[in-house]
Amino acid sequence: MTIRAGVFQEITEARLLPQIVRLDENLYGAVFSLMKMVPARFILRRAMARGELQPDTVIVETTSGTFGLALAMQAALLKRKLILVSDPVIDRNLYRRLADLGATVEIVAQPEEQGGYQSARLRRLAEIQAERPNSFCPEQYSNPDNPASYSVVAEQLAEVLGKIDCVVGPVGSGGSMCGTVRALRESTPDTVAVGVDTHRSMLFGQLDGHRMLRGLGNSLMPANLDHEVFDEVHWCTAAEAYAATRWAHRHHALFQGPTSGAALLVGQWWAARHKDALCVVMLPDDGFRYQDTVYDDEWIAGQGFTLAALPREPVELRHPMAESATWSWFRWQRRELRSVLLAGQPAPPEPTALGIIL
């Protein structure tokens, strides 16, 4: 057997780009096994090129999700020490994997009054950086290399599918959606961006509060979130995201996490309303971390959820701060946050529109 030079990749490069799969006549999924590998790999390599990440430099970051996993995988390959600051709700399977990859994971004990656990994590992160002058923080929420890294994803989508009319995806740091859509709009400025958030997230103007759905939403406003990128914003509940995740597994054999379920719920609705438009939905990570939760019927029942009932369509809100207990959406129209919030007072609670899609 002849082995050709240059055909082998590190695991972090091999898992970088998504698989593009057809889900409906005009709906495609960008299926990632670990989407956060895109910014993690790019940020660290840019830091090395600038001389900010030397052989003895310690990588430090705050995360409770898959950005930490991507950093841990990359740090293991780069032979760099990694310290992650997280909180008590970190998934236990993720925690075990981070530790097995050699990362040190610090858990902050108490949330702060303003900003909750995220503020507490940032405070501890600053302390670690002060204690270790020779450290590098990727700063996924504010580092412009985060959204810039997704130009490679936009290039792949355009190469495989041609003109992309709409991109739907979850929003956390703002990097994936803002970076991908901005890159696509360099050639197709009319590409629609639909952001998927969850209730009681600050990202699009709602008041911060307890959120069960992880992997999207935020208690702080990330600098990488460019509100003027978005044409529409949707808010999904945890129950709706979980049901959609299981539906995707049963009907499309997609074994993804709940942020993917939330995005797919929105993407299917948008594509069905725009039959002549090609829509891509970003599906960020696989479902292995959720086998004991989202994919476990007893756990679902224990949370008081049912996998049967789901809204057929979202409730349209007249203001982002209008109360809604179900999937809802707002016509953002590429405006800055301040102008949207000042455009009018919150409307009264909207009626729910329940149906069955499972």
Side-chain angles (χ1 to χ4, degrees), residues 113-182:
E113 288 188 16
Q114 298 294 326
Y117 278 115
Q118 284 178 308
S119 288
R121 283 160 37 186
L122 287 171
R123 178 174 52 79
R124 178 55 188 147
L125 178 64
E127 293 172 353
I128 294 173
Q129 289 178 282
E131 296 165 0
R132 296 173 177 269
N134 188 19
S135 62
F136 170 77
C137 182
E139 297 180 339
Q140 67 159 323
Y141 294 125
S142 59
N143 190 336
D145 282 344
N146 178 355
S149 69
Y150 285 93
S151 62
V152 67
V153 176
E155 181 181 344
Q156 180 204 25
L157 293 175
E159 181 179 336
V160 173
L161 298 174
K163 182 178 182 294
I164 311 297
D165 297 301
C166 177
V167 179
V168 178
V171 184
S173 71
S176 60
M177 280 297 290
C178 293
T180 302
V181 172
R182 278 199 296 247

Side-chain angles (χ1 to χ4, degrees), residues 48-235:
M48 291 176 67
R50 292 191 295 260
E52 299 172 358
L53 187 55
Q54 299 293 330
D56 58 345
T57 302
V58 178
I59 303 169
V60 297
E61 180 62 290
T62 170
T63 177
S64 62
T66 52
F67 187 63
L69 176 58
L71 287 177
M73 292 174 65
Q74 194 61 69
L77 295 178
L78 294 175
K79 312 301 182 188
R80 299 299 198 280
K81 181 176 176 58
L82 173 65
I83 301 176
L84 299 173
V85 181
S86 192
D87 56 59
V89 299
I90 186 173
D91 178 80
R92 59 179 181 143
N93 292 326
L94 174 61
Y95 182 92
R96 286 201 299 264
R97 190 169 178 191
L98 293 172
D100 205 44
L101 283 164
T104 299
V105 184
E106 287 199 19
I107 305 296
V108 297
Q110 297 294 331
E112 295 189 353
E113 288 188 16
Q114 298 294 326
Y117 278 115
Q118 284 178 308
S119 288
R121 283 160 37 186
L122 287 171
R123 178 174 52 79
R124 178 55 188 147
L125 178 64
E127 293 172 353
I128 294 173
Q129 289 178 282
E131 296 165 0
R132 296 173 177 269
N134 188 19
S135 62
F136 170 77
C137 182
E139 297 180 339
Q140 67 159 323
Y141 294 125
S142 59
N143 190 336
D145 282 344
N146 178 355
S149 69
Y150 285 93
S151 62
V152 67
V153 176
E155 181 181 344
Q156 180 204 25
L157 293 175
E159 181 179 336
V160 173
L161 298 174
K163 182 178 182 294
I164 311 297
D165 297 301
C166 177
V167 179
V168 178
V171 184
S173 71
S176 60
M177 280 297 290
C178 293
T180 302
V181 172
R182 278 199 296 247
L184 287 172
R185 284 179 181 166
E186 290 180 7
S187 57
T188 56
D190 57 339
T191 295
V192 173
V194 179
V196 182
D197 197 2
T198 188
H199 302 82
R200 293 177 296 280
S201 159
M202 289 183 60
L203 292 180
F204 294 95
Q206 295 194 2
L207 297 177
D208 181 44
H210 174 71
R211 300 183 300 277
M212 186 167 186
L213 184 58
R214 308 281 291 183
L216 46 67
N218 214 310
S219 294
L220 300 173
M221 190 62 69
N224 278 330
L225 176 57
D226 180 0
H227 294 90
E228 295 181 64
V229 164
F230 295 90
D231 297 277
E232 297 179 13
V233 175
H234 290 241
W235 293 268

